[in-house]
């Protein structure tokens, strides 16, 4: 009986190692194109549809514009961290803030989630799906099933772009879709923030212990 139990445990161990993937092995970013620009639509938790336009240059800088109303910028610093700027066009306000203070304010953004769309959960299981790869122009993606304690969803991941081209919920409803994408050179002007007529706030200074 003990021998049978050990055999079962060993089988389960092999099954887990064979079919369960690590986050890094499924959602690889190492071979991503240096420049990535895309337009996507997504559905939020309230069922509202939004449009996102996005620019990324390597791991150095990025810009995200949501519905043409809010822009998020991230620039890699000499120290290897990132400096963030949030531009609210409706309020004509520009916030300068670090990742630490973003977390303190309850906005759990970091470079990975901003640059690669997915937010890595604390607990998860990933399996490769036997599903036909999806293609958008010259870019293709492979399907993975991500299981979290509270939700399950499918991600079609493009290694060349290091972003998902499609994300579907547990009912196969598309909640994220890249509509246009290119890897052409992105000029520095894209990341230039026009500060004219903006109210600027350095959140890091405001939240400084001093």
């Amino acid at each position: 009986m003990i021998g049978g139990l050990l055999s079962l445990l060993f089988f389960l161990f092999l099954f887990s190692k064979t079919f369960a993937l690590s986050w890094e092995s499924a959602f690889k970013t190492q071979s991503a194109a240096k420049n990535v620009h895309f337009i996507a639509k997504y559905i939020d938790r309230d069922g509202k549809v939004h449009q996102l336009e996005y620019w990324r240059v390597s791991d150095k800088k990025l810009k995200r514009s949501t519905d043409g109303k809010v822009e998020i910028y991230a620039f890699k610093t000499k120290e290897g961290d990132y400096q963030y700027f949030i531009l609210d066009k409706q309020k004509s306000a520009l916030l300068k803030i670090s990742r630490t203070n973003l977390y303190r304010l309850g906005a759990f953004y970091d470079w990975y989630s901003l640059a690669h769309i997915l937010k890595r959960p604390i607990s998860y299981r990933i399996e490769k799906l036997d599903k036909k790869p999806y293609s958008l122009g010259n870019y293709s993606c492979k399907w993975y099933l991500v299981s979290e304690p509270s939700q399950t969803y499918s991600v079609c991941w493009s290694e060349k772009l290091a972003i998902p081209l499609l994300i579907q919920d547990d009912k196969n409803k598309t909640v994220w879709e890249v509509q246009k994408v290119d890897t052409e050179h992105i000029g520095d002007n894209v990341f230039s923030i026009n500060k004219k007529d903006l109210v600027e706030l350095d959140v890091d200074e405001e939240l400084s212990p001093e």
Side-chain angles (χ1 to χ4, degrees):
M1 182 175 179
I2 294 178
L5 179 59
L6 290 175
S7 297
L8 176 60
L9 291 174
F10 182 69
F11 172 79
L12 291 174
F13 173 79
L14 288 178
F15 180 87
S16 176
K17 288 294 183 181
T18 302
F19 295 96
L21 303 170
S22 68
W23 192 270
E24 292 78 11
S25 62
F27 306 126
K28 297 176 181 177
T29 62
Q30 298 90 334
S31 58
K34 179 180 178 181
N35 297 278
V36 177
H37 166 245
F38 69 77
I39 296 175
K41 70 174 182 179
Y42 69 93
I43 302 174
D44 66 19
R45 292 184 179 181
D46 296 323
K48 296 180 180 178
V49 179
H50 301 275
Q51 186 177 70
L52 175 71
E53 187 166 11
Y54 160 115
W55 300 260
R56 185 188 77 223
V57 176
S58 187
D59 65 342
K60 306 300 183 184
K61 50 190 174 182
L62 69 80
K63 173 184 176 181
R64 292 168 49 129
S65 176
T66 303
D67 298 330
K69 298 177 181 178
V70 177
E71 295 178 353
I72 298 178
Y73 298 80
F75 302 101
K76 194 170 188 177
T77 66
K78 294 180 180 180
E79 294 73 28
D81 204 347
Y82 290 91
Q83 181 66 65
Y84 299 92
F85 293 86
I86 301 175
L87 172 59
D88 187 327
K89 290 188 172 183
Q90 292 180 308
K91 297 180 180 179
S92 297
L94 179 66
L95 307 181
K96 177 184 177 183
I97 189 169
S98 66
R99 181 187 60 177
T100 299
N101 284 325
L102 274 171
Y103 279 21
R104 289 177 65 184
L105 294 176
F108 297 105
Y109 298 122
D110 58 17
W111 171 263
Y112 186 92
S113 61
L114 288 173
H116 306 297
I117 309 305
L118 299 178
K119 185 176 292 186
R120 179 172 177 164
I122 296 175
S123 177
Y124 64 88
R125 178 183 174 86
I126 302 175
E127 302 170 46
K128 188 174 181 180
L129 290 174
D130 184 16
K131 191 174 180 179
K132 183 179 179 180
Y134 170 78
S135 294
L136 177 64
N138 297 322
Y139 309 98
S140 62
C141 57
K142 297 179 181 178
W143 286 97
Y144 297 90
L145 179 67
V146 182
S147 300
E148 300 180 27
S150 60
Q151 62 178 336
T152 301
Y153 52 95
S154 301
V155 176
C156 198
W157 182 258
S158 168
E159 285 189 32
K160 188 172 182 179
L161 302 170
I163 58 168
L165 293 181
L166 290 172
I167 300 177
Q168 296 180 338
D169 64 16
D170 58 354
K171 297 179 181 178
N172 293 322
K173 178 181 179 181
T174 299
V175 295
W176 166 271
E177 179 181 4
V178 174
Q179 300 171 308
K180 296 180 181 179
V181 63
D182 68 79
T183 53
E184 301 297 323
H185 173 74
I186 301 174
D188 289 338
N189 61 303
V190 170
F191 303 98
S192 177
I193 304 174
N194 184 359
K195 298 181 180 180
K196 183 179 179 181
D197 298 325
L198 294 180
V199 176
E200 297 183 52
L201 176 63
D202 189 328
V203 179
D204 296 328
E205 285 189 4
E206 294 294 325
L207 296 180
S208 173
E210 290 80 14

